Amino acid sequence: MQLHGLTKKFADTTAVDNLSLDVAKGEFVSLLGPSGCGKTTTLQMIAGFVDVTAGSIILDGTDITFAKPNERGLGIVFQTYALFPHMTVEKNVAFGLEMRKVSGSDIARRVRDALAVAQLEKFAQRYPRELSGGQRQRVALARALVIQPPVLLLDEPLSNLDANLREEMQFELRRIQQQAGTTTIMVTHDQAEALSVSDRVVVMREGKVIQIDEPYVMYENPATPFISRFVGKTNTFAVTVTATEQGTHFDLDGQRITLKDNANRTSHAETSSAGTSEALVSVRPEKIVIDRHGQGRFAGTVKNSFFLGNLWMYEVQTAFGLVVVSVINNHQQVYKIGEDVSLDWHEDALRVLTAEPAGNV
Ligand SMILES: Nc1ncnc2c1ncn2[C@@H]1O[C@H](COP(=O)(O)OP(=O)(O)OP(=O)(O)O)[C@@H](O)[C@H]1O
């Protein structure tokens, strides 16, 4: 499916601004961004529920920009997955095929297959009220997949589930999608969900696409300070970067730090005649090494500690601000509030983010 310059204006709001995206067959793409960034409007335009102001939607070579929703044949699962309460799971899943006048024996076979993929066989004769939230969500998925849609649209499909179930269902969603091989576009504001299930993530902000990348690439190389904070947690420091023939460096707490070539994702930094530019340097909490024996280059004091089960998170006061450090809980590295520590990181861990205009970070 290709989206070309998709734009939606509501009176004085441009909800979606010139969005282009090419989704490959079988690919799982997530639209990720904060509330109001235009994700749902994009999905609604693809589904045909919202008219397009400009641009086009191409499905398997056919322009469907102005097709009615039911002519598009897309599978759709919304946050409130309205199952038919008076129908069994089996009947709910069969409904779309009956509407399409598929023959009885084909219906039975396809429903059986869809229930198997969603691991719902033993619930086939139950009613929705007799199922848990996660099971109901799997019925909604099976119902959407059974029609073998060319594209499956998911709008915050897991947001009604509680935290544990949600995480479990992320893996389920990925498994079911891969097994069915269905091209999928999902809307979410949850970055962990987007990273864990998608082949590629599209980050949107104020109607515009600001980065499209594979989850790992996006996490390692966020294009802007906004993305580095929105996708995962990070520490940022404002520094003055100097470019010389020998390389690029900046000073932090009396140390000269030379940047590796891979550190600079954004190339449009304004460089002054002295060869300096203002930049934000970022380093992820898990890439910082904390040490109580003074092995690191930067001195600090533990201000706060948070136990997260698999991780400890420490807030460490340094000369260049409060730094968040995460350490895997391996029973060895437990630091107390008030303890003096030192911090360091591998030079590969640094990323330089060009500062966005004031008020836009
Ligand atoms: N029917 C409408 N009329 C006017 N403005 C609208 C309409 N629908 C959406 N908008 C506006 O368009 C912008 C994008 O909304 P959209 O619902 O696509 O965002 P979103 O990223 O999906 O947010 P959320 O995560 O909160 O659902 C918002 O500023 C919203 O107020």
Side-chain angles (χ1 to χ4, degrees), residues 211 218-229 234-239 241 259 263-269 277-284 350-356 361:
Q211 186 168 0
M218 172 117 22
Y219 186 85
E220 290 296 319
N221 295 296
T224 68
F226 165 74
I227 299 179
S228 79
R229 280 195 296 268
T234 200
N235 295 288
T236 51
F237 323 116
V239 298
V241 175
L259 287 165
N264 206 345
R265 161 92 196 199
T266 46
S267 55
H268 52 273
S277 59
E278 300 307 312
L280 284 177
V281 171
S282 92
V283 57
R284 299 278 188 196
L350 292 180
R351 294 289 176 273
V352 180
L353 305 161
T354 306
E356 285 162 310
V361 292

Side-chain angles (χ1 to χ4, degrees), residues 88-272:
T88 61
V89 166
E90 192 174 53
K91 290 278 179 213
N92 263 281
V93 176
F95 183 78
L97 297 175
E98 283 163 4
M99 294 295 284
R100 286 172 172 75
K101 310 258 184 290
V102 175
S103 77
S105 59
D106 275 356
I107 292 181
R109 181 182 48 79
R110 284 168 65 174
V111 168
R112 215 171 33 243
D113 289 350
L115 292 179
V117 169
Q119 296 182 341
L120 286 165
E121 296 106 315
K122 60 176 192 249
F123 306 111
Q125 301 311 322
R126 290 214 199 158
Y127 288 89
R129 64 174 181 277
E130 299 168 332
L131 299 173
S132 71
Q135 290 159 351
R136 271 183 235 155
Q137 191 56 298
R138 292 214 297 269
V139 177
L141 272 175
R143 193 175 60 170
L145 287 171
V146 78
I147 61 164
Q148 294 168 344
V151 176
L152 175 65
L153 304 177
L154 305 172
D155 190 358
E156 305 263 5
L158 308 181
S159 64
N160 279 347
L161 307 176
D162 67 42
N164 273 340
L165 186 56
R166 201 174 165 150
E167 209 174 285
E168 199 183 304
M169 278 299 293
Q170 284 171 16
F171 297 114
E172 271 291 275
L173 184 58
R174 181 63 172 160
R175 184 189 62 75
I176 293 170
Q177 185 268 344
Q178 281 186 326
Q179 208 165 326
T182 312
T183 311
T184 303
I185 304 176
M186 177 174 84
V187 158
T188 181
H189 63 267
D190 181 331
Q191 50 93 16
E193 191 167 295
L195 293 184
S196 64
V197 302
S198 317
D199 293 306
R200 283 189 302 156
V201 178
V202 178
V203 175
M204 295 179 67
R205 190 176 192 200
E206 291 168 8
K208 293 193 173 68
V209 169
I210 45 180
Q211 186 168 0
I212 305 179
D213 261 318
E214 291 172 31
Y216 176 74
V217 176
M218 172 117 22
Y219 186 85
E220 290 296 319
N221 295 296
T224 68
F226 165 74
I227 299 179
S228 79
R229 280 195 296 268
F230 193 70
V231 178
K233 287 190 171 52
T234 200
N235 295 288
T236 51
F237 323 116
V239 298
T240 304
V241 175
T242 307
T244 67
E245 283 184 2
Q246 286 75 46
T248 308
H249 63 260
F250 64 91
D251 293 332
L252 192 67
D253 194 13
Q255 308 277 338
R256 172 144 299 188
I257 316 267
T258 303
L259 287 165
K260 302 269 282 190
D261 291 346
N262 73 347
N264 206 345
R265 161 92 196 199
T266 46
S267 55
H268 52 273
E270 295 262 332
T271 306
S272 71

